[in-house]
Amino acid sequence: MAVAGAQPRAPWASKAEESRGRLYPEAGGDARSAFRRDADRIIHSSAFRRLAYKTQVFSYHEGDHYRTRLTHTLEVVQVARSVARALGLDEDLSEALALAHDLGHPPFAHAGERVLDACMAAYGGFDHNAQSLRVVTRLENRYLDFDGLNLCWETHEGIVKHNGPQHAPLPHAIEVHAERQDLWLWSWPSAEAQVAAIADDIAYDVHDLDDGLRAGLFGLDELTELPLVGPILTEIRRHWPHLDRARLFHELGRRMITVLIGDVVAESRRRIALAQPEDADALRRLGHAVVGFSGETAAAEKAIKAFLFPRMYRHPRVMAAMDAAGAVVRDLFARYMADTAALPEEWRASVEGRSEAARARRIADFLAGQTDRYALAEHARLFDSAPELR
């Protein structure tokens, strides 16, 4: 399905000029909108740059052509802006939320997160979405007048509600932040935030199939029975039976993105037409998402995830590397907790005199900010060894 280009701004779109503002008021400094400034601040943050050496599925030294956490984020941005543009939403806000959605991800993908959450179980746990909020509100220290990036209310809201409304028990970082700022945790987020969330699904469904094929974890013939994917693959082969593998992989991914974006745009327009929200806050109060897949495509997308789970995310090759990576995170957390002198000086100073729980949270901040290669270097420094993640 073709997707129309830019649409007039929808009444239910977020409007930068009507933003609920920032925690610390700032004077407008240039011609950029408030949401554009948010996106730019995230791009220039240290946490964003570190995504280049954080694992998506394959660790960075598996090869130069697999996605990293950074390239995944850029693909999410591209999809999010395309959908937001077609729906008449604020593209800059959707971009800012796509850029920020993985800032709190620890090294070594979900294996690193699982281990860090287990290490933090007695201290409030660890959640990478909540950690992204902590990054942009506390941990990025770049400005003269405040800690964090001082982003707009709407950007904070979208980060917190990446997976929808938040209910008790809240992740630690969100619970702490709620004392400073009411983000309407009970409501659905803006349409722009919903776009960023579904763009995340579209991007990783498509690129994980591509990376899995490149890595030889499964073959093209295994995809023929998959809904949505199989018909596209059959159509490509019918028209270009002798197409080389590299072009075939790319054409498959390109067409999948086109179909998925087209479906989201059509289904979202249908839901919005039924709901007829007057403005962005009315959309928040609807009690359900307005951005989503149609029923048929949602089932197909679920089938893609079900296909990838055993063949890629739980493939013995991937699991062996991630088990070793998880041990690195576990070892580092235990060492830092037992011996704060092992921390770099600036981090060591930040934990001195603190309670055990506060010390653990700061150590989790330090670990979550590490890249894969920094964590491996730290492990080699402190334990005289580092595993080969291959």
Side-chain angles (χ1 to χ4, degrees):
M1 173 183 175
V3 176
Q7 301 296 303
R9 186 164 68 173
W12 48 84
S14 297
K15 299 172 178 63
E17 64 272 18
E18 297 176 8
S19 170
R20 285 182 167 84
R22 305 177 187 275
L23 277 171
Y24 304 94
E26 299 179 38
D30 53 41
R32 293 174 297 170
S33 76
F35 299 152
R36 183 64 252 163
R37 292 176 74 186
D38 281 3
D40 294 345
R41 288 180 181 190
I42 294 164
I43 289 170
H44 288 279
S45 68
S46 299
F48 183 75
R49 290 195 297 276
R50 289 195 297 269
L51 296 178
Y53 285 99
K54 290 191 176 186
T55 293
Q56 182 65 24
V57 174
F58 297 103
S59 59
Y60 69 93
H61 52 297
E62 286 268 4
D64 293 337
H65 297 285
Y66 299 121
R67 272 70 174 190
T68 66
R69 193 64 56 178
L70 178 61
T71 61
H72 160 71
T73 296
L74 296 177
E75 292 180 39
V76 176
V77 168
Q78 183 270 319
V79 174
R81 288 193 67 99
S82 296
V83 175
R85 184 181 309 118
L87 293 177
L89 303 175
D90 191 292
E91 293 181 50
D92 291 332
L93 179 56
S94 282
E95 177 183 339
L97 293 168
L99 288 166
H101 84 281
D102 270 349
L103 291 180
H105 224 299
F108 310 122
H110 292 289
E113 180 171 14
R114 285 192 297 271
V115 170
L116 191 51
D117 184 40
C119 291
M120 290 294 293
Y123 312 107
F126 180 88
D127 175 90
H128 85 266
N129 288 320
Q131 187 69 13
S132 295
L133 179 70
R134 192 166 167 86
V135 168
V136 301
T137 57
R138 292 175 179 268
L139 301 181
E140 282 287 327
N141 297 317
R142 306 173 62 82
Y143 295 92
L144 299 177
D145 298 325
F146 46 78
D147 289 337
L149 301 180
N150 199 33
L151 305 178
C152 293
W153 184 96
E154 293 78 7
T155 307
H156 287 169
E157 179 214 24
I159 292 171
V160 166
K161 301 178 193 173
H162 184 70
N163 295 317
Q166 293 288 311
H167 306 288
L170 296 171
H172 176 269
I174 296 174
E175 183 177 32
V176 170
H177 188 80
E179 299 173 2
R180 305 170 65 199
Q181 190 176 38
D182 180 5
L183 293 175
W184 288 24
L185 299 180
W186 49 270
S187 78
W188 282 87
S190 66
E192 288 83 0
Q194 295 178 41
V195 164
I198 205 162
D200 187 19
D201 286 336
I202 291 172
Y204 76 70
D205 284 344
V206 174
H207 68 50
D208 284 1
L209 281 176
D210 183 48
D211 281 353
L213 286 167
R214 288 178 182 275
L217 301 187
F218 46 82
L220 278 167
D221 289 342
E222 295 178 68
L223 303 181
T224 55
E225 299 303 315
L226 268 181
L228 192 146
V229 181
I232 292 174
L233 184 58
T234 299
E235 180 72 5
I236 296 170
R237 284 172 157 172
R238 184 169 70 86
H239 287 285
W240 296 279
H242 305 297
L243 196 63
D244 65 84
R245 283 170 57 86
R247 292 179 191 270
L248 180 55
F249 292 175
H250 177 75
E251 186 64 17
L252 175 62
R254 188 182 73 83
R255 293 189 181 207
M256 282 182 63
I257 290 172
T258 299
V259 170
L260 290 167
I261 288 178
D263 181 86
V264 167
V265 170
E267 174 64 14
S268 301
R269 286 173 176 165
R270 184 190 71 81
R271 294 184 192 182
I272 291 169
L274 287 174
Q276 296 188 337
E278 294 180 357
D279 55 25
D281 281 351
L283 185 145
R284 288 183 173 92
R285 293 189 178 99
L286 288 175
H288 60 82
V290 297
V291 176
F293 296 116
S294 65
E296 181 180 356
T297 301
E301 198 263 347
K302 185 177 180 180
I304 293 170
K305 285 183 167 63
F307 175 90
L308 286 167
F309 188 82
R311 293 170 177 83
M312 187 167 186
Y313 310 134
R314 291 295 180 268
H315 190 282
R317 172 180 159 191
V318 174
M319 289 298 294
M322 290 301 100
D323 285 347
V328 170
V329 174
R330 190 179 301 109
D331 289 348
L332 290 176
F333 183 87
R335 179 63 178 270
Y336 296 147
M337 284 292 287
D339 178 17
T340 57
L343 292 163
E345 183 177 353
E346 61 184 289
W347 287 91
R348 184 167 65 248
S350 74
V351 301
E352 288 178 354
R354 294 201 172 199
S355 68
E356 182 178 332
R359 187 168 74 251
R361 183 59 56 185
R362 287 297 286 161
I363 288 170
D365 289 339
F366 179 47
L367 268 168
Q370 293 182 9
T371 62
D372 294 13
R373 64 180 184 177
Y374 184 91
L376 290 170
E378 277 288 273
H379 198 275
R381 178 178 72 87
L382 296 172
F383 296 94
D384 297 324
S385 67
E388 287 285 335
L389 304 184
R390 296 180 184 273

